[in-house]
Structures are given as C-alpha cells and as structure tokens.
Amino acid sequence: MHFIVRMLVMTGIGKINSRSRQFIGLVLLSLLIWLAACERRPDIKATHSTIDQNQLDEFAESLQVNYTVINNLEKGRCGSAGRCFSVSIVLGTKRAFALSGWQLYFSQYFPLHHVLSDEFAVETINGDLKRIIPNDDYRGFKPGESKNLTMYIEGTHGNEFEAMPNYYVVGNGLEPRLVQSTVPTTDVDSGLEVMPHLSAFTDAERQFRITESENIQWATAEVLYDRNRESIHDPNAGIGEIIPSPRHVELDSQRRQLNLASGVSIQLNGLERRTMAVALNRLATLGVSERDGGIPLSVSLESADDGIEISESYSLKIDSGGIGIWATDEPGAFYALQSLVGLLRPADMHLPYVTIMDSPRYSFRGLHIDVARNFHSKELILRIIEQMAAYKLNKLHFHLGDDEGWRVQIPGLPELTDIGSKRCHDPTESRCLLPQLGSGPFGNTGVDGFYSVADYQEILATAAANQIQVIPSFDMPGHSRSAVKSMEARYRKYVAAGDDTKATQYLLTDLEDSSQYNSIQNYTDNTINVCLESSYAFVEKVITEMQKIHDRAGHPLTRYHIGADETAGAWKDSPECDRFLSEHSGLVTDANQLGSYFIERVAEMLTAKGIEPAGWGDGMGHTNVDNMPAVVQSNAWGRLIDPAHVSAHRQVNNGWEVVVSTPDVTYFDFPYEADPKERGFYWASRQTNTRKVFEFMPDNLPVHAEFWTDSEGLDFALHDAQPMHAGRGFVGMQGHVWSETMRSDEQVEYMLFPRLLALAERAWHRAPWEVPYDTDGASYGRDSGRFTEELRKKRDSDWNRFANIVASNELAKLDLAGIAYRIPTVGARRTAGRLHCNLIFPGLKIEFRIDEGDWETYDGPTHVGDNAVEVRAVSADGQRRGRRLQVH
C-alpha cells in the first residue's frame, strides 16, 4: 500500500485535473481496501470480546516493549513547536494474543504531537500519562510478531533516563497489571538502575545531539581523559585540609601531630552537651572515643582570638596542650567540631598542629530536596541532614507538595495524604492521583507515601540538632494538582453526605471554570483558583497546622516557601474570577494580576503569624514591592543566558534576601556528564559535574560568560546594565534536587554526592580566585578579560587541591555514613596499544578488563593492544564499582 502511494506521488498525480483526481481517488480507495484485506493474516484475527483477568495477566507477562529514540532533530515534524523528536515503541508477544479490549498506559514526559501507526492510537490523559489503544485495524499478535508505533513529540530526548519505566495494561473492570518487560532491574556490577525496554543510544548525531547548532561532546572515556589532565594525584593531600575551606589556616612549620588514639576528654564551657551531641558522635564514628584522661578538648563560647564576632564563626587550635575551640555562638562551636572531624583522615588518629580562624561567606547555605514529585524515605532525609551539617550547610528547603504528590500529614485534612500522597490507576481520582513519572498503577511503591506528623517532627528534631533550619514548601498557586484533586475528592465526599458547607470549606476549584491551559508539565488542572475565599481558608489551615507541628517539635516555623509558581491561562474563563474582578476592581485591575495578588495576600498572612515568606524569583518578581513585607526571600533560579542576573540584581536592590539558585550549576537533578547514561534533565546544562560546581562564582553571575558555555555548548555574552547597589549582595546560595527522574533513595544520593561538597565549598568560602563583582556594571564575554590567566591558574590549582581532598578523605567518610555517592567515570585513552587512565578525583582505584575478561587493577600505562577494553572506578572503601566505559 505505502509503495503504491509513494509511486503515485513521485509520478506527479498533482498535475492531473480535479475530476480525474476524484476518479483515481475512488479507484485507489477500492484498491487500498482490497490490499488491506489481503494483508490480514489468516492464522490470527483480533477478537473484540471482553478480556478477562487471567488473559490480561498473561498479556502483561508476555508483552515485550522496546523504546527507541530515533531522531532528536525532527525539524518541522511537530508543527510550530520549536523542537521535535521521534520515538519508536515496538510491541511484541511471546505467544499469540488475539483479544482486544486492553489499553497500555505509560509515562512520556513531553507533549505528544502525533503518532504513526496502522493498528494503534495514542492519547494523552493528563500530565505525562499516555495510553496506547488498539484501533479497528488491530489484528492481534502472532507468536513473536512485533508492531511499531512512531511518536513525534515536542521537545528533546537527550539521554536514556527521560524514558520512563513501569508500563501497565488495563481492561474494563479488571485490576491493572505491570508489563514486566518495562520493570527496572539493577546492574550487578554497579548497582545502577537498568530499564530493559530501553534501547541504548548509539548514534551521536541523531540521538545524543539535541539541536543542529549544539557543540556538546559525548563524555566518552577519551573526552574525560583530556578533561581530567589537570587532576593530578597528590599522596600528601588532605593533611590539615578541610571541606569547606576555612578563612584562615596556619599549619605548624615542623609538621608536628597530635595522636588521638587515647581518646579525648571533653570540656564544654557555656554550652549544653545536647547541642554538640551530633558533632561529637561523628567524631566517635571515625574512632575517636571519649575517655577520662584523654587528650583535652575544650569548647568555649567566647570571642574568637581575632576578635571577629560574625555569627557561626570560630577559632580552632591544636598543639601539644590539646585541642581548643572558641566560638561566638552555638552554631560556631558546632561547626568547629565538624572541622575537627574534617581534619581527620580515615583510619588515621593523628591531627596536625594547626590554628584555624573561620567564619562563613553566606548566612544562607541551603539545600532543596523535592520529595513531592517522587517520595523518598524519612531515613534518606535524616542521612542528608547529617551530611549537610558535616559540610556546614544550614538551610533545608523541604519541598513537600507539588502536582505529583502531597507528602506530609495535615491534621484536619486527611484527604491530602489519603489521596494526594499516592498515584494509582483510578481515572476518577477518588482514591489516588493519576500515575505519573513511571510510578505504575498500584499506589504502594517507593515513590508513593507521606510523612506522618511524628515522622516530620523527627526530621525537624534531627535538623535542629544539626543546626539546620527547615523551610517547608508547598508550591502554590501553580504546581498544586495534588492539593486541588484531594480537595475535590473531599468536596464529593461531603456533598454525598449532604454537608455542602464542609464540601466547599477548602475547595480549590471553581467548578464552573472552563479555562483551558497546559502547565509546563502538561497538566490541564493543576492550579489553585485564587479568586475563591476557600482557597485562602485552605492555605491558612495548612500554615496554621504546620506552625503547630513545628512548635511541638521545638523547631519554630519562621520561614515558609510559598512557591509562587503561576500557570499561564488559568482562571481566564472562571466565573468566580470574573465576579472577583468586578467586586475588587480597585485592588486587581485584570486577570494578569491575580497571581501576584495571591502571593501578596499569602505573604501578608504569613507575616501576621510571625513567619517570613519565601518564593521562586519569577513569581515573586510579579508582585508590587510596596505590598510585600519587609523581609522577603527570593530564590533567583533563572538560567545565566536568560539573563538571570537582571531580575536577581533588581530584587537585591529591592532590599529582598536573594538566594542564588542558578540552575546551570546548582540543579543537581541535571546529569554529571554529557552522557546518555547519566540521569537527569538538562534544560539549563547538559553537564554539571563537581568541578563545575566548584568553579561557580555566586557573587558575580554575569562573569560566567567569560569561561562557560550555554546548554548547547555555545559561547554567550552578558551585559550588567543595572548592577547591584554598592554594599548589597546575595544572602546565600542553594543546591537543588528535583526528583522527577529519581525513583529510589540511592538515586538521590547518586545525584547529590559528591556535588554537595563543592556546593558547601562555595557557600562557606569565597575563593581568592573569584572575580569581584563590579557595582558600576560591566559587559562579559569570552574576550572581556575580567577572569585573568593568573586567576584561572589559581582556580585550577585550588581545584586540584579540592579534588585530592575529596578522593583521599571525604569519599571514605561518605562510605562510612552509608551514602551511595556517584563513583566517577574513568577517563582513558589508548595510545600505541597502551592504556592510559585518569579520574576527576585522583587517587581512587581504577580497574580495567580486556575482551570481557577478569577485571584488573590499573597501576599505570598498560599494554592492551587492539583488544576491546573497558574501564571503571572503585569506591573509596572498595565495596562498590562505578559505571564502566569502553575505550576506543
């Protein structure tokens, strides 16, 4: 059939007159119908009878799914969409299956444009959830037969982990079943997730490249080898070194050391032991026991030796008389003890004689953890808190509510967790939310769940013990689908019970709203209606209950993150908003101001409760500064090329507390390297390894145009026309983990560590090689010359120092803490038949194998000839292996 159509097009059917074309069309139609009938296989015929549970179970077990990215550069194939890619889904069965009456559900993150298939249709349900449905031409499966669908999708698909697992099939009235061929497995060697239905990327031009102009290199072993040349192993690294770097360190000129093998005798002056317990326990985990008669360890609250009274500052002195710590406050004493732990090398009880004087660069040193998109365990959060404290981070931005889930129990609103905390196959969403992000249909997996009040209070107590402030976040008014749907279920429950007052008490939806919109995550119904008084009653209820929970945990709620994300097109056709605008014309002049009205009103609500408001910079930037409280936190999360510095500087000049959240470098859900097998999204950066985080100059955003490229690997220029006023600047910086692509606790740790160490370095310590910010304004580009060659050499030397400390000291400590950090991929080259290897963290063990034989330790250049060679690195404790790479 397709051959005949192509031949007619090629022979010029368009030149025939209209009557002749109608005649030929009728003939073709008859011919095509006849050919279609001829193509139907006589040995199997689709049966449209109702499928039963046993047959559905058998189908889910037998169905083989193969997902292949065909081409990322399908220019013009998605209409007006700027970017378009094509994906092939091939379905096959091990044995004959003739029944229809089934539907196959799966997650595909980006908007579907159109599908090419003879036997199937594909529909978008909501968000990323889509389904494949047999059409009238479906002929069933012969044993071993495969059927292909080609999907054209708006966006790009630059790595393998944008494909989602856990497809499932349903039938009318039947229990859903996971398609077993799409259930993730675990690689035996590395422990990393494997998605068996996914075809590996092999074509750099059609699969890896996402734009025609892109200049990003696939991070092969050879590319990494060239990049790692500046990481040189120093066997003496780590002696007297701490991460994050102190402000001033003076080592004993004679390199004398203090032996802690006899333990320490601790004396706390002006401090309660419970406030130092965590840091002291960390000393114990490294083998430093507390004993009478041990080395004296004195910790005192008083002015530091240099007279600095900055909050969280301390001085630390180690000599023959023991260990002395002087701190300006309780956090300073706590961090001094953490520095003491930092000076210890694994399995070595010796400390150098040293004098340290230290204080933080920023008062806000944060980490954002998203447990809303995919839930993660309380135990993971507790482990992360301990590591935050170890590296002197002090703010946990805890993202607890978003479209895909509500993650903490709110007394009086059980629906939020009864329904909003799990995703299952319930099209009515009366029991749960729709499946998203490859969650599967059951609602009882690791990505589902919530923290009870007791769980959350344990997290708060642990944070307090680690000198960390918890800033809870439930994104509003956009990104609120879990709350919206939970309150709709509450509404239906109370309407059925005849209680209309309770039904509408916390309703977040105008039931007569006919607005049509699509959020950035492709939801059509994820935004709170800001014109309803019940919406503000809901926010008031949530904040009040959270405040009580915090108070009872002894961790007062002093700052709350509104989110402040909006959705274009929401409320446009809402009768309630029409009524609100007519009644409040002097307050809100048009629908475009409704989002900012919501933020301003919630900020006022928070301030009345003694809580400082925070939000993302774009939404906060839409507000009227005069209508906002005196203290406002804004997270500046724009990309550098947007240009991010413009709005960030404006908000600093407003007098707001601006936290640097630049995604190009602080979003740890982006890939470490530009490799299809590295997990994460990449809309701001295709490669964010630990060195890139280390190189960041957070005080001077536009200067990065001198030495970084954009997300396509291209140079860019920035002009700082409206600089920050003299004497003003950012209050801090924050790292971020968004969990869309992370379905396990181990995956979160992989993405977070060891990048968190470089985040801590930059948040605590201003490096002498950073380019000072110019309050007169300046233009920056590849040739502007602010970041001089001398400064670059200092940076490179400082990086080598840092990388060696990580390798020799810190990764082993992470191993002891049970952190599944990412083991780096190995750089390698074959030169004249000899294998040369290196690592971003020099000193870690490297292994290689030839022709899939036994793994051997790499000790230096090795003859491998022309044989197939693979390389991998080993964790500091020797217990885990990293992802292997081929050497070409």
Side-chain angles (χ1 to χ4, degrees):
M1 284 190 290
H2 299 296
F3 171 76
I4 293 172
V5 172
R6 286 199 301 271
M7 288 300 294
L8 286 169
V9 171
M10 291 171 63
T11 53
I13 189 172
K15 299 177 182 178
I16 303 172
N17 64 46
S18 60
R19 185 169 295 180
S20 298
R21 284 200 299 269
Q22 290 175 0
F23 172 75
I24 292 172
L26 290 172
V27 173
L28 275 175
L29 180 60
S30 300
L31 178 61
L32 292 173
I33 292 171
W34 176 76
L35 285 171
C38 291
E39 286 188 357
R40 297 211 181 257
R41 296 167 174 81
D43 55 340
I44 184 168
K45 183 177 181 181
T47 303
H48 295 277
S49 60
T50 303
I51 190 171
D52 65 29
Q53 189 68 60
N54 288 335
Q55 292 164 333
L56 187 71
D57 293 353
E58 179 184 330
F59 184 52
E61 181 69 32
S62 175
L63 183 63
Q64 298 298 302
V65 176
N66 178 262
Y67 180 102
T68 303
V69 176
I70 302 171
N71 190 0
N72 259 309
L73 302 175
E74 295 285 6
K75 189 174 182 179
R77 300 298 295 269
C78 290
S80 61
R83 295 180 180 180
C84 180
F85 65 93
S86 54
V87 165
S88 167
I89 292 182
V90 177
L91 306 177
T93 54
K94 302 171 185 175
R95 42 191 177 269
F97 189 83
L99 293 172
S100 60
W102 54 268
Q103 299 174 359
L104 175 63
Y105 285 77
F106 67 103
S107 288
Q108 208 321 308
Y109 198 74
F110 296 102
L112 176 67
H113 189 270
H114 68 278
V115 177
L116 300 180
S117 174
D118 291 334
E119 299 182 57
F120 303 102
V122 182
E123 299 176 350
T124 297
I125 305 304
N126 208 341
D128 71 24
L129 186 64
K130 297 170 177 65
R131 66 178 172 185
I132 297 171
I133 306 172
N135 63 23
D136 291 341
D137 291 327
Y138 170 66
R139 298 187 298 271
F141 289 90
K142 293 176 63 175
E145 181 186 15
S146 296
K147 300 177 184 292
N148 181 69
L149 305 86
T150 301
M151 301 190 299
Y152 289 86
I153 300 168
E154 299 174 15
T156 60
H157 199 313
N159 67 43
E160 296 174 8
F161 285 97
E162 286 180 288
M164 297 290 180
N166 297 321
Y167 292 35
Y168 66 94
V169 289
V170 302
N172 188 27
L174 304 179
E175 290 295 318
R177 290 292 181 260
L178 277 177
V179 175
Q180 291 303 308
S181 64
T182 67
V183 176
T185 60
T186 301
D187 179 72
V188 174
D189 290 334
S190 66
L192 300 178
E193 181 186 60
V194 176
M195 289 192 286
H197 66 297
L198 176 65
S199 293
F201 280 28
T202 57
D203 188 332
E205 288 301 311
R206 291 167 61 85
Q207 294 178 312
F208 176 71
R209 181 184 292 274
I210 59 174
T211 68
E212 293 178 351
S213 60
E214 186 180 66
N215 189 33
I216 299 289
Q217 286 185 297
W218 189 322
T220 62
E222 291 76 14
V223 168
L224 293 175
Y225 183 80
D226 292 342
R227 192 191 299 161
N228 292 339
R229 286 180 182 274
E230 294 176 353
S231 294
I232 301 169
H233 180 47
D234 178 1
N236 295 316
I239 299 176
E241 300 276 10
I242 301 169
I243 294 177
S245 299
R247 180 173 51 83
H248 174 78
V249 177
E250 184 179 342
L251 281 169
D252 177 60
S253 60
Q254 300 179 43
R255 300 287 174 174
R256 289 174 292 181
Q257 294 184 323
L258 186 67
N259 190 345
L260 300 186
S262 61
V264 292
S265 175
I266 299 170
Q267 180 179 350
L268 301 178
N269 302 308
L271 292 158
E272 294 184 37
R273 186 178 180 89
R274 62 176 180 79
T275 64
M276 301 294 111
V278 169
L280 294 173
N281 289 342
R282 189 162 178 247
L283 267 176
T285 63
L286 291 180
V288 180
S289 58
E290 187 173 354
R291 298 178 187 171
D292 293 336
I295 299 293
L297 169 55
S298 172
V299 186
S300 302
L301 275 186
E302 56 185 71
S303 298
D305 287 349
D306 60 358
I308 288 180
E309 296 293 344
I310 298 172
S311 177
E312 304 177 298
S313 64
Y314 68 90
S315 63
L316 167 64
K317 188 172 184 178
I318 301 173
D319 57 21
S320 59
I323 304 166
I325 290 171
W326 299 266
T328 58
D329 53 20
E330 184 181 291
F334 181 86
Y335 294 137
L337 288 170
Q338 295 287 12
S339 291
L340 192 63
V341 177
L343 288 168
L344 282 168
R345 306 181 76 182
D348 186 350
M349 291 293 100
H350 292 84
L351 289 175
Y353 285 17
V354 66
T355 298
I356 294 174
M357 298 177 184
D358 204 6
S359 56
R361 172 188 200 160
Y362 291 133
S363 61
F364 190 112
R365 305 178 301 279
L367 180 65
H368 166 280
I369 297 290
D370 165 28
V371 295
R373 267 57 181 273
N374 283 315
F375 184 65
H376 295 286
S377 73
K378 176 186 70 176
E379 290 71 25
L380 171 69
I381 303 304
L382 299 181
R383 288 199 301 274
I384 289 175
I385 286 171
E386 291 172 357
Q387 295 308 313
M388 288 176 65
Y391 298 102
K392 303 183 176 72
L393 299 178
N394 66 345
K395 310 289 183 182
L396 174 60
H397 179 172
F398 204 11
H399 191 61
L400 296 162
D402 211 295
D403 293 325
E404 294 81 9
W406 186 281
R407 304 305 184 188
V408 67
Q409 185 179 23
I410 301 296
L413 295 175
E415 297 83 6
L416 286 171
T417 45
D418 290 348
I419 295 161
S421 71
K422 56 188 181 232
R423 305 195 288 264
C424 71
H425 185 75
D426 173 16
T428 68
E429 296 189 283
S430 297
R431 296 182 292 112
C432 56
L433 304 177
L434 288 172
Q436 297 287 317
L437 303 172
S439 61
F442 300 125
N444 60 0
T445 69
V447 302
D448 302 293
F450 65 93
Y451 307 115
S452 68
V453 169
D455 290 335
Y456 184 66
Q457 288 180 325
E458 183 179 350
I459 290 169
L460 293 175
T462 301
N466 282 274
Q467 303 296 328
I468 290 171
Q469 177 187 14
V470 176
I471 304 171
S473 170
F474 303 99
D475 216 343
M476 299 174 188
H479 288 278
S480 295
R481 193 172 188 275
S482 60
V484 168
K485 292 301 169 182
S486 296
M487 293 302 97
E488 287 179 4
R490 183 181 191 276
Y491 169 84
R492 292 192 295 270
K493 178 178 72 174
Y494 283 112
V495 166
D499 192 337
D500 290 349
T501 300
K502 278 193 173 182
T504 59
Q505 184 179 10
Y506 300 119
L507 187 62
L508 306 176
T509 311
D510 176 0
L511 300 177
E512 303 300 322
D513 189 352
S514 59
S515 302
Q516 295 184 359
Y517 63 86
N518 278 87
S519 73
I520 192 65
Q521 277 82 19
N522 306 305
Y523 292 105
T524 60
D525 53 0
N526 77 332
T527 304
I528 292 172
N529 191 298
V530 300
C531 303
L532 297 171
E533 283 304 309
S534 55
S535 294
Y536 298 97
F538 172 82
V539 175
E540 174 91 30
K541 172 68 172 175
V542 169
I543 294 171
T544 299
E545 294 299 334
M546 288 294 287
Q547 191 170 36
K548 291 177 182 176
I549 292 169
H550 274 248
D551 286 344
R552 290 166 185 161
H555 189 105
L557 179 58
T558 57
R559 185 166 291 189
Y560 174 89
H561 204 282
I562 302 168
D565 281 304
E566 303 171 31
T567 306
W571 325 308
K572 184 178 180 181
D573 294 311
S574 163
E576 289 290 343
C577 284
D578 291 341
R579 186 177 303 111
F580 180 88
L581 289 169
S582 66
E583 294 174 356
H584 299 82
S585 57
L587 185 63
V588 181
T589 57
D590 61 54
N592 293 327
Q593 296 180 352
L594 288 172
S596 57
Y597 168 79
F598 174 87
I599 297 166
E600 292 167 7
R601 183 167 169 181
V602 173
E604 182 182 6
M605 181 190 302
L606 289 166
T607 303
K609 294 176 177 291
I611 303 169
E612 297 165 349
W616 298 108
D618 52 341
M620 301 297 273
H622 294 161
T623 62
N624 184 333
V625 176
D626 294 335
N627 294 339
M628 295 295 284
V631 178
V632 175
Q633 176 195 317
S634 178
N635 288 85
W637 71 282
R639 297 179 303 170
L640 290 172
I641 62 169
D642 284 339
H645 68 276
V646 174
S647 60
H649 293 174
R650 183 187 307 118
Q651 292 181 3
V652 167
N653 290 337
N654 287 343
W656 290 0
E657 296 186 0
V658 177
V659 176
V660 175
S661 296
T662 308
D664 311 53
V665 64
T666 70
Y667 273 36
F668 298 158
D669 48 298
F670 288 179
Y672 277 89
E673 303 290 354
D675 185 317
K677 292 194 180 299
E678 289 290 344
R679 183 181 305 277
F681 292 138
Y682 47 83
W683 50 266
S685 173
R686 294 202 73 179
Q687 171 262 315
T688 303
N689 61 22
T690 306
R691 176 163 186 170
K692 184 176 181 180
V693 182
F694 177 87
E695 291 181 347
F696 190 41
M697 303 182 196
D699 285 338
N700 193 342
L701 297 181
V703 76
H704 297 89
E706 287 200 1
F707 57 95
W708 282 354
T709 59
D710 65 13
S711 61
E712 295 183 29
L714 306 175
D715 291 346
F716 63 101
L718 295 172
H719 180 55
D720 189 13
Q722 296 177 314
M724 290 185 285
H725 298 162
R728 291 189 171 179
F730 303 121
V731 299
M733 63 181 292
Q734 178 170 282
H736 306 77
V737 171
W738 296 99
S739 66
E740 289 100 324
T741 65
M742 302 171 217
R743 291 174 289 275
S744 72
D745 291 354
E746 292 77 14
Q747 289 167 6
V748 173
E749 291 179 339
Y750 178 99
M751 299 300 282
L752 187 51
F753 298 95
R755 289 188 281 203
L756 179 138
L757 278 64
L759 170 75
E761 178 77 3
R762 289 286 69 82
W764 182 271
H765 176 72
R766 188 189 187 281
W769 44 261
E770 293 187 45
V771 177
Y773 180 70
D774 187 346
T775 56
D776 292 329
S779 293
Y780 300 87
R782 188 61 58 177
D783 300 319
S784 54
R786 296 296 186 102
F787 191 33
T788 64
E789 188 63 30
E790 181 183 358
L791 290 176
R792 292 171 191 249
K793 287 180 180 178
K794 289 181 179 179
R795 177 200 63 187
D796 295 344
S797 175
D798 196 24
W799 161 254
N800 195 65
R801 174 197 65 84
F802 179 88
N804 273 276
I805 298 169
V806 171
S808 63
N809 287 10
E810 303 310 312
L811 295 183
K813 293 173 186 174
L814 293 176
D815 284 327
L816 284 172
I819 300 295
Y821 58 84
R822 178 183 182 268
I823 301 168
T825 40
V826 176
R829 274 198 176 278
R830 188 197 311 256
T831 304
R834 293 176 68 79
L835 177 67
H836 300 260
C837 297
N838 60 20
L839 280 170
I840 189 172
F841 298 121
L844 286 181
K845 181 180 176 182
I846 297 173
E847 295 180 336
F848 72 98
R849 68 175 179 180
I850 300 173
D851 292 334
E852 299 187 357
D854 293 335
W855 289 95
E856 304 176 48
T857 299
Y858 175 81
D859 292 319
T862 304
H863 180 74
V864 294
D866 295 327
N867 299 295
V869 176
E870 293 175 295
V871 290
R872 69 184 184 187
V874 182
S875 63
D877 66 356
Q879 298 304 303
R880 296 188 299 124
R881 268 63 187 168
R883 184 167 58 83
R884 59 184 180 269
L885 294 181
Q886 292 182 337
V887 184
H888 298 291

